[in-house]
């Protein structure tokens, strides 16, 4: 089921790219906050290598599960791997949902690919969780929502002699329930953090669409963020559309294992515009998003 869901999402992305003549590569982050280890593993087997979590404690547990000694040579096949996960101290439900017949050789190759899994933190980061987050080697922090958080993060990064790639979170819908910088302060804050927090490698912007069924308002919130992203791109002397080579995603001949893992096809210097969730990702794509955060549409 998860493999079929991923295929449908990929086909939908292809249609949107063709409909709106989009040239940017699309990075797909599977939001696994409500998914157990078995479901994440099935998504991985279907070709999905990037996952996002909303809570630091959940990210730590899943990160360690997929990168710890459990992935040693003693695992010769998928069944043994999943059986071992059932012994996890967190008692995660790992009963298989998909019945894939893979021989030992195929699984050993998949086990090596597990090392390619990249984790994103997409939720609200509390200052008392910073150290736990920095103990992990995450791909991207999507939710840098204030100057205070940036300063606190910078101090911890200096102590640990680390750097982290992050996106500035924008409250483009101007909703009290959402974290993020006010639209009028985004450019100023971006420049301030770049100057005063050198261990934070700013890589673009993130926003959540307006919390409404009104498509016009959702579209407006994404459009505002895209305009800010264009300004950021000019500041960085980069044009994300020109720097990102087009990838042929032919829906008639899709190889999920090749097309879902977009990370290797994306220039590390390309700025990220993280917009779009399961209910509004097509609107986000139309407004220039090059990074989608999809959960329920994949794991439902």
């Amino acid at each position: 089921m998860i493999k079929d869901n991923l295929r449908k999402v990929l086909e939908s992305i292809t249609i949107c790219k063709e409909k709106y003549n989009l040239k940017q590569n699309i990075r797909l982050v599977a939001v696994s906050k409500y998914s157990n280890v078995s479901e994440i593993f099935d998504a991985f087997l279907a070709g999905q290598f990037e996952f996002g979590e909303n809570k630091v404690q959940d990210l730590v547990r899943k990160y360690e599960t997929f990168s710890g000694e459990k992935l040693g040579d003693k695992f010769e096949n998928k069944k043994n791997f999943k059986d071992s996960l059932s012994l996890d101290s967190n008692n995660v439900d790992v009963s298989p949902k998909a019945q894939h017949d893979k021989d030992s050789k195929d699984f050993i190759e998949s086990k090596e690919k597990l090392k390619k899994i990249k984790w994103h933190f997409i939720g609200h980061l509390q200052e008392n969780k910073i150290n736990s987050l920095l103990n992990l080697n995450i791909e991207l922090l999507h939710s840098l929502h204030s100057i205070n958080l940036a300063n606190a993060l910078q101090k911890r990064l200096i102590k640990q002699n680390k750097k982290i790639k992050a996106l500035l979170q924008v409250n483009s819908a101007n909703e009290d329930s959402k974290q993020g910088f006010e639209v009028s302060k985004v450019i100023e804050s971006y420049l301030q953090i770049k100057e005063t927090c050198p261990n934070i490698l700013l890589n673009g912007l993130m926003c959540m669409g307006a919390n409404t069924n009104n498509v016009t308002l959702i579209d407006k919130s994404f459009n505002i963020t895209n305009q800010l992203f264009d300004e950021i791109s000019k500041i960085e002397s980069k044009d994300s559309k020109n720097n990102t080579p087009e990838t042929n995603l032919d829906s008639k001949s899709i190889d999920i294992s090749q097309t879902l893992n977009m990370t290797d096809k994306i220039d590390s210097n390309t700025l990220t515009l993280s917009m779009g969730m399961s209910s509004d990702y097509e609107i986000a794509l139309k407004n220039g998003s090059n990074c989608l955060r999809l959960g329920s549409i994949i794991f439902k």
Side-chain angles (χ1 to χ4, degrees):
M1 181 177 67
I2 290 174
K3 181 176 181 179
D4 289 339
N5 291 343
L6 283 167
R7 183 179 295 277
K8 290 176 183 177
V9 166
L10 193 60
E11 290 174 347
S12 177
I13 291 173
T14 302
I15 292 171
C16 284
K17 285 172 67 76
E18 293 174 350
K19 180 178 180 180
Y20 299 111
N21 193 28
L22 304 176
K23 303 301 181 183
Q24 73 269 26
N25 277 338
I26 310 301
R27 191 173 200 172
L28 177 58
V29 177
V31 178
S32 50
K33 62 179 180 177
Y34 297 125
S35 304
N36 60 38
V37 171
S38 178
E39 291 167 329
I40 296 172
F41 187 64
D42 285 339
F44 156 76
L45 288 178
Q48 177 63 34
F49 291 172
E50 301 201 61
F51 298 90
E53 288 289 329
N54 283 59
K55 296 181 179 180
V56 172
Q57 60 268 32
D58 290 340
L59 175 58
V60 169
R61 174 170 55 82
K62 293 174 182 177
Y63 182 102
E64 291 177 347
T65 296
F66 282 92
S67 61
E69 294 181 358
K70 292 184 178 69
L71 305 182
D73 292 337
K74 64 181 178 178
F75 301 107
E76 297 179 353
N77 54 54
K78 177 185 171 183
K79 182 178 184 301
N80 286 347
F81 178 83
K82 286 199 169 184
D83 286 347
S84 72
L85 293 180
S86 67
L87 301 177
D88 192 294
S89 59
N90 294 286
N91 294 319
V92 179
D93 176 14
V94 292
S95 55
K97 286 182 174 291
Q99 299 300 317
H100 300 287
D101 293 327
K102 286 186 173 289
D103 59 26
S104 296
K105 180 179 178 180
D106 288 340
F107 183 73
I108 289 173
E109 293 176 355
S110 295
K111 186 177 62 179
E112 288 301 310
K113 289 182 180 179
L114 279 168
K115 298 177 182 178
K116 296 183 179 181
I117 287 181
K118 298 182 184 298
W119 293 96
H120 298 242
F121 187 74
I122 62 176
H124 174 60
L125 179 59
Q126 299 173 312
E127 290 188 23
N128 63 352
K129 299 292 185 181
I130 289 177
N131 285 341
S132 296
L133 183 68
L134 295 185
N135 287 335
L136 312 178
N137 183 25
I138 69 167
E139 175 71 9
L140 187 61
L141 167 64
H142 288 239
S143 48
L144 187 60
H145 59 76
S146 70
I147 293 293
N148 287 340
L149 177 61
N151 290 335
L153 188 58
Q154 172 66 17
K155 290 179 181 178
R156 312 288 177 83
L157 287 165
I158 290 175
K159 287 183 179 180
Q160 297 191 28
N161 192 28
K162 289 184 175 181
K163 294 186 178 182
I164 190 171
K165 188 180 290 187
L167 306 179
L168 217 64
Q169 182 173 349
V170 183
N171 186 359
S172 56
N174 194 28
E175 295 174 348
D176 293 337
S177 60
K178 286 187 171 70
Q179 300 284 332
F181 289 89
E182 296 178 14
V183 170
S184 62
K185 297 181 179 179
V186 168
I187 303 301
E188 174 188 351
S189 300
Y190 192 95
L191 292 172
Q192 180 180 341
I193 293 171
K194 279 181 66 68
E195 180 178 355
T196 61
C197 303
N199 292 60
I200 299 176
L201 307 177
L202 288 180
N203 187 249
L205 303 177
M206 182 276 268
C207 84
M208 290 181 280
N211 185 21
T212 176
N213 292 325
N214 188 320
V215 174
T216 300
L217 293 179
I218 297 172
D219 184 86
K220 180 180 178 181
S221 63
F222 286 147
N223 182 263
I224 288 172
T225 308
N226 188 29
Q227 291 181 44
L228 291 168
F229 182 72
D230 286 343
E231 291 298 314
I232 295 296
S233 298
K234 292 175 183 177
I235 291 172
E236 299 285 4
S237 299
K238 298 186 183 97
D239 184 336
S240 63
K241 294 181 180 179
N242 291 335
N243 283 352
T244 306
E246 183 177 6
T247 298
N248 181 22
L249 299 182
D250 184 356
S251 60
K252 295 181 180 179
S253 58
I254 292 175
D255 179 350
I256 287 183
S257 64
Q258 294 298 318
T259 54
L260 279 179
N261 181 29
M262 301 299 292
T263 307
D264 294 338
K265 300 181 178 67
I266 296 177
D267 190 322
S268 60
N269 293 319
T270 298
L271 295 181
T272 300
L273 180 56
S274 176
M275 303 191 303
M277 299 187 292
S278 293
S279 62
D280 56 21
Y281 71 92
E282 294 184 13
I283 305 173
L285 285 174
K286 184 185 72 169
N287 283 284
S289 173
N290 60 15
C291 181
L292 302 176
R293 311 181 306 274
L294 308 185
S296 60
I297 199 171
I298 294 173
F299 293 107
K300 64 183 178 182

